Amino acid sequence: LQARLADPQALLLLAEDALKGGPVGLIRFQADNQTATLGYQLAAEWRGRGLAAPLLLAGTEAAQARFAGLRRVRGLVQADNAASVRAFERAGFAQEAAASDALPGSLTFVWIV
């Protein structure tokens, strides 16, 4: 964790409940040249409330502000994870052909800056 926090090409953001405090979810980005790869997770008690798409949008905006040369944000999603597929679609990410480093059974979603 310390290495990731010190990495200038990494961005980790924690979403918190504004009323009660406490974590809602996490979104992380790893930038490489003009592309950032993201991963996210919502706390179990916050799933199913439509928060994934806003988390993806807010995180992507923060990544754009952090990484000046960013032109593309991508996320890899397991094809059978219907909720995450819907979240990426609702957030405006487009599905593209599988990346060469994609895991079997995964889908690649991209946001073009």
Side-chain angles (χ1 to χ4, degrees):
L1 177 61
Q2 293 301 323
R4 181 66 59 115
L5 291 173
D7 182 352
Q9 297 303 309
L11 176 63
L12 282 80
L13 302 168
L14 181 65
E16 294 183 312
D17 180 346
L19 298 176
K20 298 178 186 176
V24 171
L26 170 77
I27 188 165
R28 60 194 178 280
F29 296 85
Q30 184 65 45
D32 183 18
N33 295 320
Q34 297 180 341
T35 299
T37 301
L38 73 83
Y40 80 98
Q41 184 173 7
L42 287 174
E45 63 270 20
W46 291 95
R47 294 179 190 155
R49 298 185 187 192
L51 298 174
L55 178 66
L56 291 168
L57 286 170
T60 297
E61 288 175 1
Q64 287 175 284
R66 169 76 179 268
F67 305 117
L70 188 64
R71 297 290 172 255
R72 187 171 178 265
V73 177
R74 76 176 189 144
L76 301 176
V77 179
Q78 290 300 312
D80 61 355
N81 186 342
S84 195
V85 168
R86 280 193 309 274
F88 274 93
E89 291 172 344
R90 283 194 326 265
F93 283 71
Q95 187 177 341
E96 72 172 18
S100 61
D101 62 344
L103 299 172
S106 68
L107 303 173
T108 301
F109 285 89
V110 296
W111 177 280
I112 306 298
V113 177

